[in-house]
Amino acid sequence: MCNCIDLGLRPKGTKFLASAYLRTAAEVGRQANVRLTRHEVRSLMKAQRRKYRSWLELGEVDGAVWDDDLQQWILGPAEWDELIADRSEMRQFRGRTLQWLDLSTKLWGGLYRPVLPVQRRRSSSSSC
Protein backbone atom coordinates (compact mmCIF):
# COMPACT_ATOMS: atom_id res chain seq x y z
CA MET A 1 0.00 0.00 0.00
CA CYS A 2 2.95 2.34 0.50
CA ASN A 3 3.52 2.79 -3.21
CA CYS A 4 -0.15 3.49 -3.93
CA ILE A 5 0.55 7.19 -4.47
CA ASP A 6 3.22 6.33 -7.05
CA LEU A 7 0.88 3.88 -8.79
CA GLY A 8 -1.93 6.43 -8.90
CA LEU A 9 -4.12 4.31 -6.62
CA ARG A 10 -4.18 6.97 -3.94
CA PRO A 11 -3.91 10.50 -5.23
CA LYS A 12 -1.99 12.52 -2.65
CA GLY A 13 -4.24 13.63 0.19
CA THR A 14 -7.21 11.51 -0.81
CA LYS A 15 -8.65 8.14 0.09
CA PHE A 16 -7.41 4.90 -1.41
CA LEU A 17 -9.17 3.85 -4.56
CA ALA A 18 -10.92 0.47 -4.67
CA SER A 19 -8.23 -0.77 -7.05
CA ALA A 20 -5.62 -0.22 -4.34
CA TYR A 21 -7.48 -2.57 -2.00
CA LEU A 22 -7.92 -5.12 -4.80
CA ARG A 23 -4.23 -5.10 -5.68
CA THR A 24 -3.21 -5.34 -2.03
CA ALA A 25 -5.58 -8.28 -1.44
CA ALA A 26 -4.21 -10.02 -4.53
CA GLU A 27 -0.57 -9.46 -3.53
CA VAL A 28 -1.06 -10.53 0.09
CA GLY A 29 -3.01 -13.54 -1.13
CA ARG A 30 -0.24 -14.48 -3.52
CA GLN A 31 2.56 -14.09 -0.97
CA ALA A 32 0.79 -15.65 2.03
CA ASN A 33 -1.30 -18.13 0.06
CA VAL A 34 -4.56 -16.92 1.63
CA ARG A 35 -7.75 -15.53 0.18
CA LEU A 36 -8.53 -11.94 1.09
CA THR A 37 -11.17 -9.61 -0.22
CA ARG A 38 -10.72 -5.91 -0.73
CA HIS A 39 -13.27 -5.35 2.04
CA GLU A 40 -11.11 -7.29 4.51
CA VAL A 41 -8.04 -5.28 3.53
CA ARG A 42 -10.01 -2.06 3.90
CA SER A 43 -11.32 -3.08 7.34
CA LEU A 44 -7.83 -3.94 8.55
CA MET A 45 -6.47 -0.63 7.30
CA LYS A 46 -9.30 1.34 8.93
CA ALA A 47 -8.64 -0.39 12.26
CA GLN A 48 -4.92 0.32 12.01
CA ARG A 49 -5.58 3.96 11.09
CA ARG A 50 -7.77 4.34 14.21
CA LYS A 51 -4.96 2.92 16.35
CA TYR A 52 -2.46 5.25 14.67
CA ARG A 53 -4.66 8.28 15.35
CA SER A 54 -4.98 7.29 19.01
CA TRP A 55 -1.23 6.74 19.22
CA LEU A 56 -0.59 10.22 17.77
CA GLU A 57 -2.92 11.73 20.37
CA LEU A 58 -0.63 10.42 23.10
CA GLY A 59 1.90 13.04 22.03
CA GLU A 60 -0.57 15.76 22.94
CA VAL A 61 -0.98 14.53 26.53
CA ASP A 62 0.70 16.74 29.13
CA GLY A 63 3.86 15.06 30.37
CA ALA A 64 4.20 12.66 27.43
CA VAL A 65 7.81 12.14 26.39
CA TRP A 66 8.89 10.33 23.24
CA ASP A 67 11.58 7.67 23.74
CA ASP A 68 13.31 7.22 20.41
CA ASP A 69 15.12 4.03 21.45
CA LEU A 70 11.95 2.25 22.59
CA GLN A 71 9.77 3.95 19.94
CA GLN A 72 7.04 4.65 22.49
CA TRP A 73 5.44 7.38 24.56
CA ILE A 74 6.56 7.53 28.18
CA LEU A 75 4.13 8.73 30.86
CA GLY A 76 4.13 8.42 34.62
CA PRO A 77 1.96 5.73 36.25
CA ALA A 78 -0.57 8.30 37.49
CA GLU A 79 -0.88 9.88 34.04
CA TRP A 80 -1.38 6.46 32.41
CA ASP A 81 -4.04 5.53 34.95
CA GLU A 82 -5.89 8.81 34.39
CA LEU A 83 -5.64 8.51 30.60
CA ILE A 84 -6.82 4.89 30.56
CA ALA A 85 -9.72 5.76 32.87
CA ASP A 86 -10.86 8.36 30.31
CA ARG A 87 -10.06 6.36 27.17
CA SER A 88 -9.69 2.61 27.58
CA GLU A 89 -8.27 2.14 24.05
CA MET A 90 -5.05 3.82 25.23
CA ARG A 91 -4.26 0.78 27.41
CA GLN A 92 -2.70 -0.95 24.39
CA PHE A 93 0.12 1.63 24.28
CA ARG A 94 1.16 1.45 27.93
CA GLY A 95 4.71 0.13 27.83
CA ARG A 96 4.44 -0.68 24.11
CA THR A 97 4.73 0.96 20.75
CA LEU A 98 2.25 0.87 17.92
CA GLN A 99 2.43 -2.26 15.81
CA TRP A 100 3.60 -1.37 12.29
CA LEU A 101 4.54 2.16 13.32
CA ASP A 102 6.82 2.77 10.33
CA LEU A 103 4.24 1.52 7.85
CA SER A 104 1.46 3.57 9.48
CA THR A 105 3.62 6.68 9.30
CA LYS A 106 4.27 6.04 5.60
CA LEU A 107 0.60 5.49 4.86
CA TRP A 108 -0.92 8.33 6.84
CA GLY A 109 2.09 10.49 7.74
CA GLY A 110 0.60 12.43 10.60
CA LEU A 111 -2.81 13.32 11.85
CA TYR A 112 -5.50 11.92 9.61
CA ARG A 113 -7.74 14.57 8.17
CA PRO A 114 -10.59 13.28 6.06
CA VAL A 115 -10.80 14.76 2.62
CA LEU A 116 -13.97 16.76 2.32
CA PRO A 117 -15.75 16.95 -1.00
CA VAL A 118 -15.25 20.16 -2.88
CA GLN A 119 -18.21 22.50 -2.68
CA ARG A 120 -19.50 23.18 -6.15
CA ARG A 121 -20.50 26.67 -6.98
CA ARG A 122 -23.85 27.10 -8.53
CA SER A 123 -23.81 29.06 -11.66
CA SER A 124 -26.03 32.05 -11.45
CA SER A 125 -28.35 31.88 -14.36
CA SER A 126 -30.29 35.00 -14.93
CA SER A 127 -33.53 34.68 -16.76
CA CYS A 128 -34.53 37.78 -18.70
Side-chain angles (χ1 to χ4, degrees), residues 60-88:
E60 299 171 6
V61 173
D62 287 336
V65 177
W66 175 251
D67 186 328
D68 208 26
D69 293 330
L70 297 174
Q71 294 287 301
Q72 66 185 17
W73 294 106
I74 306 297
L75 291 167
E79 287 124 346
W80 273 117
D81 292 340
E82 183 181 326
L83 182 64
I84 291 169
D86 289 342
R87 299 186 54 202
S88 62

Side-chain angles (χ1 to χ4, degrees), residues 50-67:
R50 275 193 303 273
K51 288 180 185 178
Y52 182 64
R53 288 171 51 190
S54 295
W55 180 83
L56 285 175
E57 290 172 14
L58 279 172
E60 299 171 6
V61 173
D62 287 336
V65 177
W66 175 251
D67 186 328

Side-chain angles (χ1 to χ4, degrees), residues 116-121:
L116 300 175
V118 177
Q119 294 283 332
R120 293 185 183 189
R121 291 187 169 199

Side-chain angles (χ1 to χ4, degrees), residues 3-12 14-15 17 19-20 23:
N3 62 350
C4 285
I5 293 173
D6 301 333
L7 295 174
L9 301 174
R10 179 184 180 207
K12 194 159 181 71
T14 62
K15 296 187 279 184
L17 302 179
S19 53
R23 286 189 182 183

Side-chain angles (χ1 to χ4, degrees), residues 96-111:
R96 291 183 219 112
T97 190
L98 176 69
Q99 185 180 19
W100 304 312
L101 175 60
D102 294 339
L103 178 61
S104 297
T105 303
K106 284 181 185 177
L107 286 172
W108 298 292
L111 291 173

Side-chain angles (χ1 to χ4, degrees), residues 5 15 19 26 42 44 62-63 72 91 93 114-115 127:
I5 293 173
K15 296 187 279 184
S19 53
R42 184 171 183 248
L44 289 169
D62 287 336
Q72 66 185 17
R91 180 184 317 271
F93 304 122
V115 178
S127 55

